[in-house]
């Protein structure tokens, strides 16, 4: 059995950050990861002739935690393409115009929808400090949009825009999450949109993840699927699916919320935590890369909210081919390896493109993710967030799913990893000061 002061479970950005902080703070730390690689729901891999981000990608200077990490390791941001052309489909009719005209169409409806963002979230990184939030937290984004009484074309376009942002259906999505996104972007929806899909990490997410790992003295153990955790007043025992055991004084569970209940934790986590994990997240859609023939114009396209792919963006424009990044609300409707299906999905929203090849990863089918980016169901914020952030004995949680600020983003994962590390370090300090609770770590 291996012993350490801390075990961090999950080597996504939250776990990597927590492990770095604790190990650099002088605590022996083991980082256990189920997969054969680090970086979790970000994954840079070679496909379609270039390195593609299959998961999380875009970062922005309004995202303080990820931006600071990039600065710390001397990693720059790369701008994406500036779009010139746009397609959008409303009432079954395809429209075409400039990218600016599409933004204009979205502008009025988004301003209406998000007007109260700073009122409800005056301190965006303290999302629960305004009691009024409880009054609207059960409202779905779908209902919030319907209450605006928009013109039909604006209504459909706004619904498709937010289906993209949620990577899932709007009828259960939390309106408060949309307000929170806008509030962390200082109440400016266009800045929020820019933050979501404009600037990438030079060298990719893998480069930043590797930089954090290299700066850590924690011991990384890959291919360790944690199956059970047992804690008593002196220590925590962690057992993997293969039967390997680890012992520590503090454990950080840096896992996607949707997989938390897969681990047998004794004594059981609180009912609130288990209920939140059973519910999971609303982000259950698809991200698909499609390579098409020919050098295309720099375009974006919105389809109907129910389309298999409801958003397409021309991301890499080469001499003879163009590589598109596409999103849809239902992972079950998109086979990330099916070229003819991709052709059909694309034909439905952009005319005249010939699909050559596709690439992607089904994060919802992935047993170590079970969701894409963590977007909340209505009610999540006031029912579960504070509860999920609360440690239980020697076990604390971390992850973008439970971040205060840019929850759902890489930034939120880093923020949460820092918080969890600080709490664990403080608990270790209390242990050391208490003679009755002196560490009893024996093999
Ligand atoms: C398709 C997609 C697009 C996205 N786009 C963006 C974007 O453009 N910008 C942005 O900022 N964010 C984006 N995100 C979100 C961002 O990637 C995530 O919010 C963030 O990476 C989550 O980090 P995390 O550490 O909280 O969790 P994760 O990255 O999910 O890390 C959790 C780790 O736990 C491991 N694990 C799970 N179960 C076990 C177990 N039993 N034992 C041991 N280990 C286990 C997993 O393998 C994983 O490595 C996107 C995500 C997806 C999927």
């Amino acid at each position: 059995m291996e012993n350490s002061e801390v075990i961090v479970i999950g080597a996504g950005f939250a776990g990597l950050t927590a492990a770095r902080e604790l190990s650099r703070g002088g605590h022996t730390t083991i980082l256990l990861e189920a997969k054969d690689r680090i970086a979790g729901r970000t994954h840079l891999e070679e496909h379609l002739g270039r390195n593609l981000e299959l998961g999380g990608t875009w970062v922005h200077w309004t995202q303080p935690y990820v931006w600071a990490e990039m600065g710390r390791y001397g990693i720059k941001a790369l701008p994406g393409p500036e779009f010139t052309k746009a397609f959008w489909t409303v009432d079954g009719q395809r429209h075409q115009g400039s990218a600016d005209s599409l933004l204009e169409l979205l502008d009025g409806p988004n301003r209406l929808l998000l007007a109260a963002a700073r009122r409800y979230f005056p301190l965006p990184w303290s999302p629960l400090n305004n009691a009024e939030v409880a009054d609207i937290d059960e409202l779905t984004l779908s209902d919030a949009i319907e209450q605006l009484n928009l013109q039909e074309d604006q209504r459909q376009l706004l619904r498709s825009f937010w289906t993209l942002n949620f990577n899932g259906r709007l009828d259960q999505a939390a309106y408060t999450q949309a307000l929170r996104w806008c509030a962390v972007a200082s109440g400016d929806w266009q800045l929020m949109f820019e933050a979501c899909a404009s600037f990438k990490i030079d060298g990719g997410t893998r480069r930043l993840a590797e930089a954090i790992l290299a700066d850590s003295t924690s011991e990384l153990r890959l291919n360790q699927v944690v199956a059970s955790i047992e804690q008593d007043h002196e220590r925590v025992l962690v057992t993997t699916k293969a039967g390997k055991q680890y012992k520590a004084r503090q454990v950080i569970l840096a896992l996607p919320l949707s997989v938390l209940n897969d681990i047998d934790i004794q004594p059981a986590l609180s009912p609130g935590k288990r209920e939140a994990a059973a519910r999971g997240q609303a982000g259950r859609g698809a991200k698909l890369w499609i390579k098409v023939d020919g050098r295309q114009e720099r375009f974006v396209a919105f389809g109907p909210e129910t389309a298999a792919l409801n958003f397409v963006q021309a991301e890499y424009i080469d001499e003879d081919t163009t590589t598109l990044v596409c999103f849809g609300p239902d992972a079950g409707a998109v086979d990330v390896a099916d070229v003819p299906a991709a052709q059909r999905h694309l034909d439905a929203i952009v005319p005249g493109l010939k699909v050559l090849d596709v690439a992607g990863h089904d994060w919802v089918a992935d047993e170590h993710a079970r969701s894409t980016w963590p977007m909340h169901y209505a009610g999540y914020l006031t029912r579960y967030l504070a509860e999920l952030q609360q440690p239980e004995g020697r076990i604390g949680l971390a992850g973008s799913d439970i971040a205060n600020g840019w929850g759902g983003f890489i930034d939120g994962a880093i923020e949460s990893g820092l918080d969890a590390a600080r709490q664990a370090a403080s608990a270790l300090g209390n242990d050391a000061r208490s003679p009755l609770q002196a560490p009893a770590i024996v093999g």
Side-chain angles (χ1 to χ4, degrees):
M1 182 178 313
E2 287 193 66
N3 289 323
S4 66
E5 282 179 283
V6 188
I7 294 172
V8 178
I9 303 172
F13 274 96
L16 288 166
T17 305
R20 181 197 61 198
E21 292 299 296
L22 286 156
S23 64
R24 283 184 66 111
H27 301 292
T28 55
T29 306
I30 293 177
L31 178 56
L32 300 178
E33 168 54 46
K35 291 179 185 278
D36 61 359
R37 62 167 185 85
I38 62 166
R41 277 174 282 176
T42 64
H43 188 28
L44 185 78
E45 202 173 53
E46 205 183 323
H47 291 278
L48 312 181
R50 60 177 2 113
N51 277 330
L52 294 179
E53 297 281 9
L54 303 184
T57 308
W58 289 284
V59 294
H60 198 264
W61 51 88
T62 53
Q63 299 174 339
Y65 293 93
V66 70
W67 205 256
E69 293 293 334
M70 289 165 62
R72 178 172 181 159
Y73 299 115
I75 299 174
K76 301 266 181 256
L78 296 175
E82 297 244 331
F83 300 104
T84 50
K85 189 171 169 182
F87 300 95
W88 61 97
T89 306
V90 287
D91 280 336
Q93 297 289 312
R94 188 180 291 133
H95 302 260
Q96 187 176 320
S98 66
D100 284 347
S101 62
L102 176 66
L103 265 189
E104 250 170 60
L105 276 175
L106 283 165
D107 189 55
N110 265 312
R111 281 177 192 272
L112 272 179
L113 181 71
L114 304 168
R118 295 302 307 279
R119 198 190 108 213
Y120 282 106
F121 299 103
L123 283 171
W125 269 263
S126 303
L128 289 164
N129 85 332
N130 178 357
E132 277 183 283
V133 166
D135 302 339
I136 56 161
D137 197 31
E138 300 292 337
L139 183 62
T140 67
L141 188 48
S142 179
D143 286 344
I145 292 175
E146 294 312 304
Q147 286 175 12
L148 299 176
N149 293 319
L150 297 168
Q151 280 172 212
E152 189 53 21
D153 56 343
Q154 290 181 320
R155 185 185 81 88
Q156 288 184 25
L157 198 51
L158 187 66
R159 290 187 67 95
S160 189
F161 174 79
W162 278 99
T163 298
L164 163 69
N165 291 337
F166 265 77
N167 203 220
R169 292 169 39 185
L170 300 187
D171 55 359
Q172 293 179 318
Y175 174 47
T176 51
Q177 175 100 355
L179 293 176
R180 286 173 69 198
W181 272 35
C182 188
V184 287
S186 297
D188 179 338
W189 84 268
Q190 293 209 17
L191 183 60
M192 175 199 87
F193 194 32
E194 178 182 278
C196 291
S198 303
F199 298 90
K200 288 181 258 196
I201 301 172
D202 187 4
T205 48
R206 188 170 62 205
R207 181 173 173 209
L208 182 59
E210 282 173 353
I212 297 173
L213 180 68
D215 199 14
S216 168
T217 57
S218 65
E219 292 183 36
L220 172 66
R221 306 271 190 273
L222 296 173
N223 303 305
Q224 303 294 307
V225 181
V226 171
S228 67
I229 300 173
E230 196 194 316
Q231 68 165 319
D232 60 28
H233 67 286
E234 286 188 332
R235 56 95 182 111
V236 191
L237 184 66
V238 174
T239 307
T240 67
K241 217 169 160 182
K244 191 159 170 39
Q245 293 198 306
Y246 299 86
K247 201 184 271 189
R249 288 161 57 192
Q250 287 289 318
V251 163
I252 294 176
L253 285 173
L255 304 170
L257 182 65
S258 305
V259 308
L260 193 60
N261 285 346
D262 292 356
I263 300 180
D264 176 17
I265 301 175
Q266 296 300 334
L269 293 178
S270 69
K273 288 191 178 71
R274 284 181 285 138
E275 194 178 290
R279 191 84 201 275
Q281 298 286 15
R284 300 180 56 78
K287 175 179 183 178
L288 181 71
W289 288 96
I290 303 182
K291 189 173 189 172
V292 297
D293 197 22
R295 184 180 174 83
Q296 306 296 331
E297 234 183 285
R298 299 182 183 280
F299 74 87
V300 290
F302 278 102
E305 65 175 305
T306 49
L309 297 175
N310 79 309
F311 181 76
V312 176
Q313 170 166 310
E315 192 64 17
Y316 297 109
I317 294 151
D318 298 316
E319 208 47 52
D320 303 321
T321 60
T322 303
T323 304
L324 316 173
V325 61
C326 315
F327 295 90
D330 177 7
V334 177
D335 180 339
V336 295
D338 187 339
V339 171
Q343 182 73 64
R344 286 195 301 280
H345 300 328
L346 199 56
D347 288 346
I349 62 169
V350 191
L353 298 178
K354 182 170 177 251
V355 176
L356 302 175
D357 206 353
V358 293
H361 179 78
D362 185 343
W363 295 98
V364 178
D366 180 333
E367 60 175 333
H368 301 307
R370 294 238 180 85
S371 54
T372 57
W373 57 95
M375 299 304 293
H376 306 328
Y377 289 116
Y380 172 96
L381 175 60
T382 47
R383 274 192 252 163
Y384 304 125
L385 184 67
E387 170 58 32
L388 288 164
Q389 292 173 344
Q390 194 61 34
E392 294 200 16
R394 295 176 177 274
I395 301 176
L397 268 53
S400 191
D401 294 74
I402 65 166
N404 284 320
W406 286 94
F409 293 78
I410 297 165
D411 190 78
I414 295 169
E415 173 215 308
S416 172
L418 292 173
D419 275 352
R422 197 177 47 249
Q423 288 185 7
S426 152
L428 287 168
N430 289 341
D431 265 3
R433 280 189 289 278
S434 159
L436 290 176
Q437 300 228 323
I441 303 177
V442 282

